[in-house]
Amino acid sequence: MAGLGGNVGANLYLRAQMAGGQVLGGQTVTPWFFTDSSTGTGYGFGGDRAFPGSVLEFIEGQPSTLTFDNMSPMDHTIHLHGLDVDQANDGVPQTSFPVGGMQSFTYSFTAPHAGTYMYHCHVDTVLHLVRGMHGTVIVRPPDASTNKAWDGGPIFDEEVLWHLSTYDTSWANLTTSGPQTVRMKPDAFLLNGLETKDARKDVCSRIEFGAAQTAYLRLTNTSYQWARVNLGGNAFQVVATDGRPLAVPYSARQIELGPGERYDLLLQGFPVGKSLGRVEYLDHFGKVLGTVKTRIVVV
């Protein structure tokens, strides 16, 4: 979608909630999620779903704040994964502190190099991450442009975010990790919080651009599985990883992301027509555990 419509600025807001219901793996679960709504009625990604959390957009070099209201009964934090922040603002409870239920804290930092990052709760991460407490961070170039990857980087016509995650419905009613969370067996495989039936028609997930245009695809993997991405067999350019441009971009027809990794892809010269974009989630031996698909439309 052109312009990701995230929460943009130097002083942003997130609220933690544990409410509502969403069908995943054939089961209705109660999401734990982050929303940029201060009213208590909003959702996270796209404003219409809890998984993943709201997209946060900062501007490179700007002093920034993120005010966090924990409106749940449990401790949570916001860990800005990949951003260079000091220990007090890193959101790791063991080295900073948790934000208790019904309490608030304002994280302060300077937005780093333009690129793709992520955030997640770092309290009992094993469980909180899976239950939905994660999202993507985008840092825009110093001029705040939304059609340029970084200062001096690629220019694009269309921007799409694929936030990858999985869910284990046997964990859906757990409140703490333990012996039952030693091994995750995912049964819901998600793209921007949706399984294939909904992801195929989702405006936030579909890649659509003109044959003479360039699309920019940001990939964020918050699953505990490796993820293999294929764009209908079309070749693409890998131009950045983990918030930094590659010294030498390279061409590929598929790419694998480990847990916590981010990659930025440049899509050019795709043939006119429709195809399927595919994300395969893999076990440690490379076996496909599950797949999610969406549409790629070139006109």
Side-chain angles (χ1 to χ4, degrees), residues 1-2 4 22 44-53 55 158-165 189-209 217 275-277 292-297:
M1 58 188 296
L4 295 174
Q22 183 167 336
F45 189 92
D48 63 354
R49 72 201 75 165
F51 300 99
V55 179
E158 183 73 8
E159 182 179 29
V160 182
L161 168 62
W162 279 10
H163 188 111
L164 315 180
S165 59
F189 304 92
L190 309 177
L191 172 58
N192 294 336
L194 303 175
E195 296 176 272
T196 292
K197 179 182 176 181
D198 296 314
R200 284 171 61 100
K201 55 189 179 184
D202 178 41
V203 66
C204 295
S205 304
R206 185 174 62 241
I207 300 174
E208 187 168 351
F209 62 110
L217 177 59
S275 57
L276 283 179
V292 60
K293 305 172 187 176
T294 192
R295 296 186 184 279
I296 301 173
V297 180

Side-chain angles (χ1 to χ4, degrees), residues 108-141:
S108 301
F109 56 94
T110 298
H113 191 280
T116 307
Y117 303 86
M118 58 181 275
Y119 68 91
H120 61 84
C121 178
H122 226 317
V123 174
D124 197 359
T125 317
V126 169
L127 183 63
H128 289 213
L129 185 72
V130 171
R131 291 205 60 174
M133 306 201 79
H134 49 73
T136 294
V137 176
I138 296 172
V139 177
R140 298 294 183 184

Side-chain angles (χ1 to χ4, degrees), residues 6-50:
N7 190 1
V8 187
N11 303 291
L12 303 187
Y13 172 89
L14 276 182
R15 167 189 287 247
Q17 293 190 189
M18 302 160 65
Q22 183 167 336
V23 177
L24 296 175
Q27 177 177 324
T28 300
V29 305
T30 298
W32 296 3
F33 64 98
F34 294 109
T35 175
D36 56 18
S37 168
S38 61
T39 65
T41 59
Y43 285 91
F45 189 92
D48 63 354
R49 72 201 75 165

